């Protein structure tokens, strides 16, 4: 029996640029962040920088550089480029979130000083602006009435305009409507206020919550049109064709099939448009004038609103007025957040059911 030398096949070397290279542990990004923060703070202290913003920017720069260099040395250049892009995304996310969290924290910490049941249920009637006391009830009432009237005016107009553009719009008229909707989307709020003010001067009308609501409706209509238009475009054409094939008229198909299918998205768009106009101040200053008293009638006499109340109290300049301004700002933020939560809830409730 002859003896033959059996040679084992040599192991395939792992190339540095292949996908089977060594990989960093999952906690590596967290480690990079800790090291970067330590380096940023340490270098900032050594350099004599007292601003935490400078420390944060320096830490972000260290995080991006360390992530790329270490990944390139341990893994490969392909993974290093991926890690670089991921690090930049995380840094941009943090840079966007930190100011928002800081704003919310400052508003809550300063707004809770006077935010209580008395503040929410009383007006500023008989309370000097520079003294403690008073409340924001008249401003809340004015905001609810003005935003409600603006919604009653703009929601039907925006919905019908979007239906026309999606279901019927063809030719020059549809292009002109789309163009003017795009122009109105970026119109400054002061321009809408001046437009309604010119109408008031022509017909010699006095300030009222209705005038402010009309200006807010001008700002709200293009938002409703754009959001509703996109939601209607998402409705499958098969649903329209099936309804029309059964002999259902087009107008009835739109009412019974198209709009109910897109109702969740339409409602969300309306809620977001309401949140967009709830913080407008310029039209209210021009058309409503503000008031220290409770005026439940939006069709006659001056009214207040939360944005106007915040500006009014901040202008007084006393410690008590600053506290009231921050508390009103907290109420306004809570109002907008509640609208967004309601919009998300309605969108989830009315979303088409998937699955079997």
């Amino acid at each position: 029996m002859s003896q033959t030398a059996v040679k084992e096949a040599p192991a395939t070397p792992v190339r540095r640029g292949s996908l089977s290279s060594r990989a960093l542990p999952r906690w590596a990004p967290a480690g990079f962040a800790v090291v970067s923060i330590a380096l940023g703070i340490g270098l900032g202290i050594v350099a004599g920088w007292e601003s935490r913003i400078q420390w944060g920017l320096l830490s972000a720069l260290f995080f991006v550089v360390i992530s790329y260099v270490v990944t390139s040395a341990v893994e490969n250049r392909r993974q290093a480029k991926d890690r670089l892009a991921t690090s930049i995304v995380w840094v941009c996310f943090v840079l966007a979130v930190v100011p928002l969290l800081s704003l919310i924290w400052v508003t809550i910490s300063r707004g809770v000083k006077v935010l209580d049941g008395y503040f929410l249920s009383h007006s500023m009637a008989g309370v000097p602006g520079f003294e403690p006391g008073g409340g924001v009830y008249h401003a809340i009432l004015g905001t609810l009435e003005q935003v409600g009237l603006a919604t009653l005016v703009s929601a039907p107009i925006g919905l019908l305009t979007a239906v026309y553009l999606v279901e019927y719009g063809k030719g020059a008229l549809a292009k002109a409507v789309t163009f003017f909707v795009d122009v109105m989307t970026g119109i400054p709020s002061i321009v809408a206020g001046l437009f309604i003010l010119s109408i008031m001067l022509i017909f010699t009308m006095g300030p009222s919550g209705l005038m402010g609501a009309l200006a807010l409706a001008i700002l709200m209509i293009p938002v409703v049109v754009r959001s509703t238009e996109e939601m209607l475009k998402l409705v499958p054409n098969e649903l329209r064709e099936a309804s029309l094939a059964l002999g259902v008229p087009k107008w009835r198909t739109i009412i019974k099939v198209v709009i109910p299918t897109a109702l969740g998205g339409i409602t969300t768009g309306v809620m977001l448009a309401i949140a967009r106009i709830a913080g407008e101040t310029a039209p209210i200053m021009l058309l409503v004038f503000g008031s220290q008293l409770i005026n439940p009638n939006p069709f006659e006499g001056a009214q207040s609103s939360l944005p106007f109340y915040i500006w009014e109290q901040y202008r007084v300049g006393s410690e008590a007025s600053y506290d009231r301004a921050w508390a009103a700002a907290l109420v306004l933020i809570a109002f907008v957040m509640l609208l967004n939560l309601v919009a998300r809830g309605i969108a989830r409730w009315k979303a088409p059911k998937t699955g079997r």
Side-chain angles (χ1 to χ4, degrees):
M1 182 176 180
S2 60
Q3 296 180 353
T4 58
V6 180
K7 296 182 179 180
E8 297 181 358
T12 304
V14 179
R15 294 180 298 172
R16 183 177 179 79
S18 66
L19 295 177
S20 58
S21 302
R22 294 176 299 171
L24 290 169
R26 293 185 177 180
W27 51 263
F32 296 157
V34 172
V35 174
S36 301
I37 293 174
L39 290 176
I41 295 176
L43 186 58
I45 294 175
V46 172
W49 297 343
E50 298 180 357
S51 175
R52 295 182 180 179
I53 297 177
Q54 294 175 326
W55 297 357
L57 295 176
L58 191 60
S59 300
L61 180 61
F62 277 130
F63 177 72
V64 174
V65 173
I66 292 175
S67 298
Y68 178 79
V69 172
V70 175
T71 305
S72 179
V74 175
E75 298 182 355
N76 52 66
R77 288 189 177 275
R78 180 182 298 177
Q79 296 294 338
K81 292 179 180 179
D82 179 76
R83 184 85 66 178
L84 175 64
T86 305
S87 301
I88 293 176
V89 170
W90 273 104
V91 168
C92 293
F93 170 75
V94 172
L95 292 178
V97 168
V98 167
L100 176 61
L101 295 178
S102 176
L103 174 63
I104 295 176
W105 170 254
V106 172
T107 305
I108 293 176
S109 61
R110 301 195 62 174
V112 296
K113 292 182 179 180
V114 297
L115 185 60
D116 52 18
Y118 180 87
F119 181 77
L120 296 175
S121 60
H122 287 74
S123 68
M124 292 296 296
V127 179
F130 54 87
E131 291 185 2
V136 74
Y137 175 78
H138 61 300
I140 296 176
L141 182 63
T143 296
L144 293 177
E145 291 180 347
Q146 294 159 24
V147 171
L149 288 173
T151 304
L152 291 177
V153 172
S154 60
I157 295 175
L159 175 61
L160 295 176
T161 303
V163 169
Y164 167 76
L165 292 176
V166 175
E167 304 294 337
Y168 298 98
K170 294 180 180 179
L173 179 59
K175 293 181 180 179
V177 173
T178 303
F179 172 76
F180 283 111
V181 168
D182 292 337
V183 172
M184 289 178 64
T185 303
I187 188 174
S189 59
I190 190 67
V191 175
L194 290 174
F195 174 72
I196 301 299
L197 180 62
S198 64
I199 297 177
M200 289 174 57
L201 295 177
I202 291 174
F203 294 97
T204 61
M205 294 184 294
S208 65
L210 176 62
M211 297 296 104
L214 293 178
L216 296 179
I218 294 175
L219 301 174
M220 189 176 173
I221 287 175
V223 181
V224 176
V225 172
R226 272 285 165 251
S227 60
T228 304
E229 184 180 1
E230 296 301 322
M231 291 300 105
L232 294 178
K233 289 179 179 178
L234 293 178
V235 178
N237 287 327
E238 288 78 5
L239 296 178
R240 298 180 175 89
E241 294 171 357
S243 178
L244 296 174
L246 295 174
V248 180
K250 187 171 184 178
W251 66 269
R252 193 172 183 85
T253 299
I254 295 173
I255 295 176
K256 294 295 185 178
V257 177
V258 178
I259 293 180
T261 304
L263 185 59
I266 294 173
T267 306
T268 302
V270 173
M271 290 293 182
L272 295 178
I274 293 174
R276 182 251 187 273
I277 66 171
E280 293 293 343
T281 309
I284 308 302
M285 294 173 63
L286 287 175
L287 307 172
V288 187
F289 286 12
S291 175
Q292 305 292 328
L293 307 177
I294 299 174
N295 180 14
N297 184 9
F299 302 99
E300 183 180 1
Q303 272 190 327
S304 185
S305 69
L306 285 172
F308 184 86
Y309 180 87
I310 295 169
W311 172 81
E312 186 179 44
Q313 294 299 317
Y314 186 80
R315 187 183 60 172
V316 174
S318 66
E319 187 66 26
S321 66
Y322 286 156
D323 292 339
R324 287 191 293 265
W326 281 107
L330 182 57
V331 173
L332 181 59
I333 291 176
F335 176 69
V336 174
M337 291 181 64
L338 180 62
L339 287 178
N340 282 273
L341 291 176
V342 170
R344 288 180 178 273
I346 294 176
R348 180 170 297 183
W349 175 43
K350 291 295 183 179
K353 301 296 186 293
T354 58
R356 297 179 181 178

